[in-house]
DNA sequence: ACCGATGGTTCGAATATTGAACCGATGCAA
DNA sequence: TTGCATCGGTTCAATATTCGAACCATCGGT
C-alpha cells in the first residue's frame, strides 16, 4: 500500500459515531505506528483535510471537504440530480426515499427526501452508513456486483441489526437471482425494525453498480396498493436517475414493462 | 514535502473552471513526474477522491467528498450555522451576504444567502474563489493575519480584476491598520465592477482568522443609510458567527459599541 | 507516414518512510 | 506524594518506497 493510501485510509475511521479521534486511538485502529500516523495526520492537517481540536489535540475532519464537495457537485451534480428524483419519488409514493453510494463495502447515504403526508416517517440522514447485507439498498447492490466482491462482503462477519436480519451468507446469496430478475430488492425490518424497504440499483457509464435508490415505509403502512405504487414509481425513478447521472443499466437488467405484474412477495 | 502532501496537493488543481484534468496536464501543472502523478492519482482514485471519466481518461473529483463533507458538517455544522446567520443578515440588509474560508492563500466561498427584495442582486456561488487582495473579505482576512502570511500573499503578482483593483502591495498594506481599527474592510469594485462590499473577519478557537463574512451590494444602490445598516448588522452577525462556531476574536479586535459612528469613508 | 500529443509502464538510483525507543505532561489510584 | 499508565509528540538509523528518465502503444491531425 502506498503512503498516500495510508494517509487517505486514516480518514475512514471518522464516522457519525466517532467524529473525533486521538493520535493513539488512530494508531491502534489503523495498526500503523504512532509516528507514522502523526506524520500523516500532520500532512492531512496542512491541507485542511483534518484539524486538531482543543486540549486533547484530537483530530476531526477538516473544512477542505466542504470546498471539494462543492467543486465535485459543481462538476457532477449527482446530489442535486438525485435529490430532484427523490423529491418526485417521495411525493408519488408518500414515503421516504433515499439514494446511497457504494463506498468500499458499505453504502453511504447521498441524499434523501421525506414526504410530508403522514405523521410518521422513516428517518434518514446524510452520510448514514447502510450495510450491504441488512438493507434493501445493499441487497440491490450485491445482486448487481461482481461475484468476487459479493464473496468478500459475505465472507466477513455479518452484523445482526434486528431479529429479522438475515446473516447466513448462503441465505443472502439465494436472494440475489430473484433480485437480478426483478431489478429490485426488498428488505423488511432487516436494518431497522418496522421498516419496509424497496431498492433498485444505480449504474455508472460503464454499467457498474454504484449505489441504489430506495423507498422506505413503515411496515404498518404497507398495503398491496402502496407496494404496487412504490414498485412502479421506484423502477421508473431509478431508471431516470441512472440515465441522468450519465450511466447505463447492464444489458441483463430487466426492462420496465407496464404490463408486468408487480414484484411478487416471494422476493423477501 | 511528504508523499501524502503531494497526492493531496494534486487535488488543488481542480477548480470551477477546470473540473477535469488529464494526466499530462496534471503533471505539468504540478511539476511532478508523469509516473508519480499517475501513481498518486491511482491511489486517490482507489479511495474515491478522484475518478477517471470517459475516453480521455481525464480525472475529476470523486464522490468521496460528498460523504466526507456530510460527515464534517455533521460533526461541525459550520455551513449550516453560517447559513443561518447569513439568511438573517440578508434579510436585515436586503443584500447578498456570504461567508468564505481561508484556504491556502485564497478564500473559498462556504455559503451565501440572497435577499429577494430587489430585482438585481450580487451573485455568488459555493466554492467560488475570492482573492485576498481584491475583495473585501480578503482584505478583512489580511488585516487579521500574521505578518509573514501577508508578506507571502502580497509579494506574489496580484491579478487585476477590474480598473478599480488595487495591485500595489504597499497601497494594500496601508489599508490594513484602518481595517484592524474598525474591525471591518470595504472594497468597491475591486473584484467585480459595481459591487460594493463590506466584510468582517471570522476567528477560530485560537483567535486565528479563518475567513470572513461579507455583504455585497450593487454600487448603484449604496446610500448612507444602507451603508449604516450593513455595517451595524454585519458586525453583529460576524460576532455571532465567530461565537457560534466556537471561536473568539483576538483581544485587539474592536468591541461593538452602539454609539460608535459608522465606519467613515476613508476606509476605501 | 509522419509528427506530437496522449495515457500508461519499467527499473536502478535516490529519498522519504518506518518504528522502537524516548520525552515531558497529564491524569488517576493508592 | 509517589507510582503507574496514558497521552501527544520526537528522534534516528535501517529500510522500503518513491522517483524519474526513458520507453511503449495509441490516437488524431497534417
Amino acid at each position: 500500500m502506498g503512503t498516500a493510501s495510508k494517509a487517505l485510509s486514516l480518514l475512514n475511521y471518522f464516522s457519525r459515531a466517532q467524529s473525533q479521534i486521538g493520535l493513539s486511538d488512530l494508531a491502534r485502529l489503523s495498526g500503523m505506528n504512532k509516528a507514522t500516523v502523526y506524520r500523516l495526520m500532520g500532512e492531512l492537517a496542512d491541507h485542511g483535510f483534518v484539524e486538531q481540536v482543543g486540549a486533547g489535540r484530537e483530530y476531526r475532519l477538516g473544512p477542505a471537504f466542504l470546498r471539494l464537495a462543492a467543486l465535485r457537485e459543481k462538476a457532477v451534480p449527482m446530489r442535486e440530480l438525485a435529490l430532484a428524483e427523490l423529491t418526485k419519488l417521495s411525493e408519488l409514493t408518500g414515503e421516504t426515499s433515499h439514494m446511497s453510494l457504494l463506498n468500499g463495502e458499505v453504502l453511504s447515504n447521498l441524499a434523501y427526501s421525506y414526504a410530508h403526508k403522514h405523521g410518521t416517517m422513516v428517518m434518514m440522514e446524510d452520510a448514514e452508513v447502510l450495510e450491504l447485507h441488512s438493507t434493501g439498498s445493499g441487497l440491490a447492490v450485491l445482486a448487481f456486483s461482481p461475484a468476487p466482491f459479493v464473496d468478500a462482503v459475505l465472507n466477513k462477519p455479518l452484523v445482526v441489526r434486528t431479529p429479522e436480519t438475515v446473516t447466513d451468507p448462503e441465505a443472502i446469496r439465494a436472494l440475489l437471482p430473484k433480485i437480478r430478475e426483478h431489478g429490485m430488492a426488498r428488505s423488511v425490518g432487516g436494518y431497522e425494525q418496522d421498516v419496509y424497504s424497496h431498492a433498485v440499483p444505480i449504474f455508472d457509464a460503464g454499467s457498474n453498480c454504484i449505489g441504489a435508490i430506495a423507498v422506505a415505509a413503515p411496515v404498518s403502512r404497507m398495503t398491496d396498493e402502496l407496494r404496487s405504487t412504490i414498485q412502479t414509481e421506484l423502477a421508473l425513478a431509478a431508471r431516470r436517475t441512472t440515465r441522468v447521472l450519465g450511466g447505463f443499466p447492464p444489458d441483463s437488467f430487466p426492462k420496465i414493462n407496464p404490463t408486468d405484474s408487480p414484484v411478487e412477495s416471494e422476493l423477501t
Side-chain angles (χ1 to χ4, degrees), chain A:
Chain A
M1 182 162 48
T3 308
S5 287
K6 286 184 197 169
L8 298 177
S9 71
L10 287 172
L11 297 171
N12 290 327
Y13 296 102
F14 296 91
S15 66
R16 308 181 70 76
Q18 193 170 21
S19 65
Q20 301 194 6
I21 314 183
L23 177 61
S24 297
D25 274 346
L26 213 37
R28 261 190 295 279
L29 285 169
S30 64
M32 300 181 204
N33 188 281
K34 199 160 47 120
T36 304
V37 174
Y38 177 71
R39 197 167 32 76
L40 294 179
M41 292 307 280
E43 297 198 48
L44 288 170
D46 288 342
H47 291 263
F49 284 69
V50 300
E51 61 186 10
Q52 278 182 292
V53 59
R57 314 240 67 195
E58 293 194 315
Y59 297 90
R60 69 179 176 201
L61 295 177
F65 290 114
L66 301 177
R67 183 178 62 93
L68 289 160
L71 276 181
R72 155 77 186 187
E73 191 64 9
K74 163 84 179 175
V76 192
M78 255 197 172
R79 210 186 111 89
E80 184 191 337
L81 294 171
L83 209 42
E85 293 294 342
L86 292 174
T87 305
K88 279 189 272 179
L89 184 53
S90 282
E91 273 173 23
L92 287 166
T93 59
E95 299 294 344
T96 300
S97 64
H98 60 103
M99 174 162 171
S100 43
L101 293 180
L102 188 58
N103 189 261
E105 297 189 350
V106 297
L107 288 167
S108 71
N109 211 52
L110 172 71
Y112 62 88
S113 174
Y114 295 138
H116 301 285
K117 189 176 164 190
H118 303 99
T120 63
M121 298 296 312
V122 176
M123 299 294 288
M124 198 61 51
E125 282 193 276
D126 286 342
E128 186 173 347
V129 170
L130 307 177
E131 295 151 347
L132 293 181
H133 72 280
S134 64
T135 63
S137 297
L139 294 175
V141 168
L142 279 181
F144 290 90
S145 293
F149 178 78
V150 175
D151 294 340
V153 171
L154 295 183
N155 283 340
K156 296 200 172 64
L158 302 177
V159 178
V160 177
R161 288 282 162 198
T162 74
E164 277 81 40
T165 307
V166 181
T167 56
D168 174 18
E170 290 318 311
I172 292 172
R173 234 182 275 271
L175 298 172
L176 303 186
K178 281 236 176 58
I179 296 172
R180 270 190 286 271
E181 187 186 321
H182 290 108
M184 182 174 299
R186 184 155 65 180
S187 166
V188 181
Y191 186 67
E192 290 209 64
Q193 222 147 10
D194 304 323
V195 171
Y196 196 126
S197 166
H198 290 83
V200 174
I202 301 292
F203 302 92
D204 71 5
S207 291
N208 308 113
C209 181
I210 56 169
I213 173 171
V215 175
V219 167
S220 57
R221 207 143 64 213
M222 189 55 64
T223 62
D224 284 347
E225 189 193 343
L226 178 56
R227 188 166 22 239
S228 169
T229 302
I230 289 176
Q231 288 172 0
T232 305
E233 298 302 336
L234 175 57
L236 287 166
R239 178 162 290 263
R240 274 198 308 269
T241 303
T242 286
R243 195 173 49 228
V244 90
L245 295 182
F248 301 94
D251 294 338
S252 67
F253 196 76
K255 299 287 174 288
I256 293 176
N257 185 336
T259 66
D260 274 3
S261 60
V263 178
E264 301 300 331
S265 56
E266 76 262 19
L267 234 186
T268 306

